[in-house]
Amino acid sequence: MATPIASSSSSSSTKPFFTPLFSSSPSPSPSSSRPSSLLSFHQHPTSTPTSLKLSHSHRNSHSLSVVNALKTEEVVSLSNFENLEDLISEDRPSILVSEKLGDAGLQVLSGFGKVECCYDLSPEELCARISKFDSLIVRSGTKVTRQVFEAAKGRLKVVGRAGVGIDNVDLHAATEFGCLVVNAPTANTVAAAEHGIALLAAMARNVAQADASMKSGKWQRNKYVGVSLVGKTLAVMGFGKVGSEVARRAKGLGMNVIAHDPYCPADRARAIGVDLVSFDQALATADFISLHMPLTPTTAKIFNDQTFAKMKKGVRIVNVARGGVIDEDALVRALDNGTVAQAALDVFCQEPPAKDSKLVQHENVTVTPHLGASTKEAQEGVAIEIAEAVVGALNGELSATAVNAPMVPAEVLSELAPYVVLAEKLGRLAVQLVSGGSGIKSVKVTYRSSRNPDDLDTRILRAMITKGIIEPISSSFINLVNADFTAKQKGLRISEERVVVDSSPEVPIDSIQLHVSSVDSKFASSISDNGDISVEGKVKYGVPHLTCVGAFAVDVSLEGNLILCRQVDQPGMIGKVGNILAKHNVNVNFMSVGRTYRRKQAVMAIGIDEEPNKEALNEIGDVPAIEEFVFLEL
């Protein structure tokens, strides 16, 4: 969620990720897929005499290339083409635009390929047409389902989403069918921030309600007395691109701005005069709250009855992010009892909301129909951004806005597959151990291996560590293409170190260790001697295992979820915790205990299949000999 700041990349190999982009992606129907080089005509120098040459592709059609005329073995006959333009267009990629796109974007696309605009296609119509196209560009209204990819028969190579959210695209199916998905995440930033400020001011001064009152023939000056923004505290929940722009504008209005973001570095917030605080502190001190967090399993309905109860009475809330972060029924109750004085909403759980929605009809709520990105400038910017991303992808270039992974070479993936799982789970463990509002800035990864560094390609492992750290607290989708780019945008520096150990060369990696520096931990025992959060894992019998937490050696399978307990080392502790979990029908799949000295301190790592309820966790915490514990979702 953070805006780009300078960060250094890791020390791994600089070999290209893949060349060309789609060459390693098996197509479900080879007879219908396009050649890897989609537009070779524009990739050859024209300083020497040239002529056109047709060559047969693997789909029994023709592809056009330009060759030196002096070396031409076969000069094409144009007898079957009306003109040269028809011949050239035979090899130009076909692009289907299924929803309205700005003219500037269409011009970019038209300069590269054959563009067809077909709006309001039904799912059946889209499936019937898609096999004729190399790329599809959509907004939020078109559902790009597995059926669409199946109907494309391997020809569809790029899906472009003109906007940020990609909920309407089946990413798993896209990757399975070798189709890259790109979006346009930056062009809407200013428009969304401006709309947030507009709602903030309109809410504070009852603009919408007063307007409706006057248009009904009333003059109610006393009823619509507002509140001032100057000197009030605004809590920005989610300090990414939009959140930071809202903060800048709110500072200009004379507001005191604080922010909560579990990822943002504190120094980046301080650079624009904003203090990062904890979630609860933001709720307790804010007069106004502006939401800019993504919708993830962690943030879904994060603003609920319990959350509203922690807020200052009379707080005012603005949401131009995602409707699902608010429990709408709970918000109605908070408005009715006065906990929340007013709300201004641009997004809803269901869009459009029901006509009889109590929230929409509430007299203290200002609503707009998802207008955050609806400015002429933003629409043109999105059109250009997505058009350039699609053109670049079709040209075989790496896309910084890719949201799914290209195919990994089979031999690399086969050998590293279990370590890929281990890497992501260690990242997920590490980020969940971090507490406080400072955010993760630096992660050091140590690979222990007997292999020469040149024989160990760790790019996919680094990408999966990044994925594990970022995805639980962000809406970003991390893969081999965009991992380093996204890490830099988040202000995260991931460095890598390789330590040569005496182990079997048949095993590519002996262990992976993560050190997260300059952060506080929810589980103090995870802090190593040098003050970093430290977790280490190995692959045993093809299954990832956690082998070390801080200074404590453990051995637990990273399947399901995990509970870590620090306790006094004494008899019966395993039984006590096991009985509590059994009572609440939580199955234990693995358990390990590591200790410093006998009868001193120990760390118990418990692998569990289900997520325990609050009552079970409270009972574990009430065991006298347990000094601290933490539940971690894997």
Side-chain angles (χ1 to χ4, degrees):
M1 296 189 290
T3 52
I5 65 171
S7 68
S8 62
S9 62
S10 64
S11 58
S12 67
S13 169
T14 58
K15 291 181 284 187
F17 281 10
F18 53 95
T19 307
L21 182 60
F22 304 114
S23 62
S24 60
S25 299
S27 298
S29 179
S31 62
S32 61
S33 59
R34 298 284 292 182
S36 295
S37 179
L38 291 172
L39 194 60
S40 57
F41 180 78
H42 292 293
Q43 298 172 349
H44 292 264
T46 58
S47 57
T48 57
T50 60
S51 67
L52 299 172
K53 178 182 179 180
L54 285 176
S55 60
H56 290 282
S57 74
H58 58 281
R59 65 186 184 103
N60 297 322
S61 64
H62 295 89
S63 63
L64 178 67
S65 62
V66 177
V67 297
N68 189 320
L70 299 178
K71 298 180 180 180
T72 299
E73 299 173 357
E74 175 188 0
V75 179
V76 72
S77 169
L78 301 182
S79 60
N80 294 326
F81 295 87
E82 294 182 1
N83 52 52
L84 180 61
E85 184 177 350
D86 290 338
L87 176 59
I88 293 174
S89 67
E90 175 72 8
D91 195 61
R92 301 178 77 204
S94 297
I95 303 166
L96 175 62
V97 180
S98 67
E99 295 178 70
K100 182 68 175 176
L101 195 69
D103 290 341
L106 291 175
Q107 290 176 10
V108 172
L109 295 171
S110 298
F112 176 78
K114 297 178 293 183
V115 180
E116 187 172 332
C117 296
C118 294
Y119 305 147
D120 300 321
L121 291 173
S122 68
E124 294 76 18
E125 290 171 332
L126 178 60
C127 287
R129 299 178 64 92
I130 196 62
S131 63
K132 301 177 182 178
F133 296 93
D134 304 293
S135 179
L136 170 66
I137 295 180
V138 303
R139 300 187 76 86
S140 60
T142 302
K143 305 298 183 184
V144 191
T145 62
R146 172 172 290 275
Q147 288 72 29
V148 173
F149 292 107
E150 290 174 347
K153 300 178 181 177
R155 178 165 177 175
L156 188 63
K157 296 303 181 187
V158 181
V159 170
R161 164 66 167 96
V164 180
I166 44 107
D167 298 342
N168 55 318
V169 181
D170 188 330
L171 288 179
H172 294 291
T175 302
E176 180 181 333
F177 283 83
C179 182
L180 193 69
V181 181
V182 296
N183 66 351
T186 63
N188 290 341
T189 298
V190 170
E194 288 177 346
H195 194 61
I197 292 295
L199 286 177
L200 181 75
M203 174 180 63
R205 299 304 299 269
N206 300 299
V207 172
Q209 293 86 342
D211 174 75
S213 173
M214 282 199 66
K215 287 178 178 175
S216 66
K218 300 176 183 178
W219 184 264
Q220 299 175 296
R221 292 185 65 192
N222 293 332
K223 181 176 181 179
Y224 295 115
V225 175
V227 294
S228 179
L229 299 179
V230 173
K232 300 294 172 54
T233 297
L234 171 68
V236 177
M237 310 299 282
F239 205 68
K241 296 183 182 70
V242 178
S244 58
E245 291 297 328
V246 166
R248 289 187 177 92
R249 287 157 177 76
K251 295 282 289 185
L253 294 173
M255 302 188 79
N256 171 43
V257 182
I258 59 177
H260 171 73
D261 190 317
Y263 200 87
C264 177
D267 53 355
R268 189 178 67 79
R270 284 195 296 268
I272 57 176
V274 175
D275 291 327
L276 281 180
V277 299
S278 69
F279 185 78
D280 287 348
Q281 186 178 352
L283 299 180
T285 58
D287 302 299
F288 292 81
I289 298 176
S290 188
L291 309 185
H292 303 284
M293 54 185 56
L295 180 59
T296 69
T298 303
T299 63
K301 293 188 178 181
I302 192 171
F303 290 91
N304 49 42
D305 288 314
Q306 292 76 24
T307 311
F308 292 130
K310 296 178 181 179
M311 295 180 183
K312 181 188 293 187
K313 191 172 181 63
V315 69
R316 290 169 167 83
I317 296 174
V318 176
N319 187 12
V320 294
R322 291 290 185 266
V325 301
I326 294 178
D327 182 333
E328 293 180 347
D329 292 335
L331 178 55
V332 170
R333 290 190 288 270
L335 287 161
D336 288 342
N337 64 33
T339 299
V340 177
Q342 292 177 292
L345 309 173
D346 185 49
V347 289
F348 306 89
C349 292
Q350 174 187 325
E351 295 186 356
K355 292 183 179 179
D356 60 351
S357 166
K358 292 182 180 179
L359 183 62
V360 173
Q361 299 299 330
H362 202 287
E363 63 177 351
N364 293 328
V365 176
T366 302
V367 292
T368 53
H370 206 147
L371 298 179
S374 296
T375 66
K376 293 181 179 179
E377 295 82 358
Q379 294 300 303
E380 286 298 293
V382 166
I384 293 173
E385 185 175 8
I386 195 60
E388 290 178 343
V390 167
V391 169
L394 287 173
N395 260 332
E397 300 170 3
L398 290 175
S399 175
T401 64
V403 292
N404 72 329
M407 298 296 290
V408 176
E411 63 276 11
V412 175
L413 184 57
S414 176
E415 182 176 56
L416 294 183
Y419 301 93
V420 165
V421 178
L422 173 64
E424 181 177 1
K425 289 186 180 292
L426 288 176
R428 286 182 176 273
L429 277 175
V431 73
Q432 291 181 78
L433 288 170
V434 174
S435 69
S438 60
I440 296 178
K441 301 175 185 177
S442 178
V443 176
K444 181 181 178 181
V445 185
T446 301
Y447 306 101
R448 288 179 170 82
S449 173
S450 62
R451 292 191 181 180
N452 186 296
D454 293 336
D455 296 329
L456 183 63
D457 187 348
T458 61
R459 292 171 298 161
I460 189 171
L461 300 178
R462 184 176 74 249
M464 296 307 289
I465 289 169
T466 304
K467 178 183 178 74
I469 292 173
I470 293 178
E471 282 193 351
I473 54 174
S474 169
S475 60
S476 301
F477 293 86
I478 312 302
N479 56 57
L480 185 59
V481 174
N482 66 5
D484 287 342
F485 174 84
T486 306
K488 289 179 181 180
Q489 283 221 315
K490 303 294 186 185
L492 172 65
R493 180 181 182 272
I494 296 185
S495 60
E496 293 179 296
E497 177 185 50
R498 294 174 176 83
V499 176
V500 178
V501 295
D502 185 15
S503 62
S504 171
E506 299 297 320
V507 177
I509 298 172
D510 181 69
S511 68
I512 302 175
Q513 185 179 53
L514 268 60
H515 282 276
V516 183
S517 59
S518 304
V519 293
D520 296 325
S521 177
K522 297 176 183 176
F523 188 67
S525 300
S526 67
I527 301 295
S528 62
D529 293 339
N530 61 6
D532 298 340
I533 289 178
S534 175
V535 292
E536 184 174 345
K538 294 186 175 185
V539 171
K540 297 184 176 183
Y541 309 107
V543 177
H545 281 64
L546 179 67
T547 56
C548 193
V549 177
F552 292 87
V554 296
D555 187 359
V556 61
S557 169
L558 291 177
E559 298 176 295
N561 298 308
L562 187 65
I563 294 176
L564 296 177
C565 299
R566 186 184 69 196
Q567 69 218 36
V568 176
D569 184 31
Q570 63 184 36
M573 292 303 302
I574 293 176
K576 287 181 181 179
V577 176
N579 285 334
I580 292 172
L581 293 173
K583 184 175 72 172
H584 292 275
N585 199 32
V586 177
N587 189 53
V588 174
N589 60 49
F590 222 94
M591 181 177 286
S592 172
V593 177
R595 61 186 183 182
T596 50
Y597 301 99
R598 186 171 16 167
R599 299 300 179 106
K600 295 293 184 182
Q601 285 185 327
V603 165
M604 179 163 50
I606 309 167
I608 52 178
D609 292 332
E610 296 83 18
E611 179 178 349
N613 57 34
K614 290 183 179 180
E615 184 180 351
L617 294 175
N618 288 336
E619 288 184 31
I620 292 173
D622 290 339
V623 175
I626 291 181
E627 299 173 337
E628 63 169 346
F629 79 100
V630 64
F631 168 69
L632 304 168
E633 295 183 78
L634 298 177

